[in-house]
């Protein structure tokens, strides 16, 4: 076990070796397996299969709370929206310009906090309204953790999709690859007045949503993110 943890720590990461939180994540996953291979215990480990003579504990690293840097500020989001007039794709979307498609996409992500993969799957028939306002119900097959849930759609996000609404089924149809979408996003960032070292991906918009929400209510921000 000690050699395993040491080996995981030596694996290459984004900036050098793997981050401590990533090492911890792998240790937790292996611990889950070892717990179920250990002897059964009616109180502590009812699912134990008894494949090991005793319970084994992996000494996992503690959680490291990192400062969040890759998150767009509100002025940067404004600069990105201003640069959308440079957009040239999607081209074949009747009644919707490429610039409006991008403005609506970015505005919706910031106000609702969805991941880009889910954004491209959004359908108009997923939306509904009640006394609190508008909502979008994302089914399990279209969510990262395969766990469906409802997201609140505030008036700015609703305005974003109404701006480009036609009689199509998908809210943000994209007839190209995900690779090309990121290439066009990078092109827009290059055209904007956002500093080169601050030209982040779509996830920085989601993080901006969660960061702003956390200033109002941390529990609500966790609920928006779908985090435990």
């Amino acid at each position: 076990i000690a050699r395993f943890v040491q080996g995981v720590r030596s694996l290459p990461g984004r900036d050098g070796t793997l981050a401590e939180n990533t090492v911890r994540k792998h240790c937790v996953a292996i611990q889950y397996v070892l717990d179920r291979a250990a002897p059964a215990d009616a109180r502590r480990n009812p699912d134990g299969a008894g494949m090991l003579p005793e319970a084994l504990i992996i000494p996992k690293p503690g959680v490291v709370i990192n400062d969040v840097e890759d998150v767009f500020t509100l002025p940067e989001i404004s600069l990105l929206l201003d640069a959308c007039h440079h957009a040239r794709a999607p081209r074949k979307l009747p009644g919707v310009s490429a610039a409006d498609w991008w403005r609506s996409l970015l505005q919706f992500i910031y106000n609702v906090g969805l991941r880009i993969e889910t954004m491209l799957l959004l359908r108009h028939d997923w939306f509904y309204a009640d006394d609190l306002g508008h909502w979008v119900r994302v089914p399990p097959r279209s969510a990262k953790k395969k766990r469906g849930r409802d997201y609140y759609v505030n008036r700015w996000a609703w305005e974003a999709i109404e701006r480009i609404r036609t009689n199509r089924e998908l809210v943000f149809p994209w007839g190209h690859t995900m690779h090309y979408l990121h290439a066009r996003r990078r092109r827009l960032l290059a055209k904007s007045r956002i500093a080169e070292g601050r030209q982040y991906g779509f996830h920085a918009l989601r993080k901006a949503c969660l960061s702003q929400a956390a200033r109002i209510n941390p529990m609500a921000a966790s609920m928006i993110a779908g985090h435990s």
Side-chain angles (χ1 to χ4, degrees), residues 3-13 16-18 23:
R3 289 197 302 271
F4 168 77
V5 176
Q6 183 180 2
V8 173
R9 276 199 163 107
S10 67
L11 293 174
T17 55
L18 284 185
V23 175

Side-chain angles (χ1 to χ4, degrees), residues 1-11 17-20 22-28 30-31 34 57-62:
I1 287 174
R3 289 197 302 271
F4 168 77
V5 176
Q6 183 180 2
V8 173
R9 276 199 163 107
S10 67
L11 293 174
T17 55
L18 284 185
E20 285 291 278
T22 305
V23 175
R24 177 184 173 88
K25 178 185 71 173
H26 290 303
C27 290
V28 169
I30 300 300
Q31 186 68 66
L34 292 179
I57 304 299
I58 296 182
K60 58 182 180 293

Side-chain angles (χ1 to χ4, degrees), residues 8 54 62-63 70 76-77 87 105 108 114 118-119 134 140 146 156 182 185 188 194 224:
V8 173
E54 60 181 339
V63 176
D70 56 338
E76 288 171 338
I77 294 174
L105 179 80
F108 195 94
L114 294 180
T118 302
M119 290 289 298
H134 291 93
K146 307 305 178 186
W156 295 280
H182 287 296
R185 185 254 311 157
L188 283 182
I194 300 175
I224 293 171

Side-chain angles (χ1 to χ4, degrees), residues 54-105:
E54 60 181 339
L56 301 175
I57 304 299
I58 296 182
K60 58 182 180 293
V63 176
V64 178
I65 307 299
N66 296 306
D67 292 332
V68 179
E69 296 180 354
D70 56 338
V71 53
F72 284 129
T73 64
L74 293 182
E76 288 171 338
I77 294 174
S78 295
L79 292 175
L80 183 53
L81 293 173
D82 289 342
C84 286
H85 70 275
H86 293 289
R88 297 294 178 266
R91 296 178 181 177
K92 300 178 181 179
L93 193 57
V96 178
S97 69
D100 283 342
W101 188 92
W102 277 94
R103 289 191 188 100
S104 295
L105 179 80

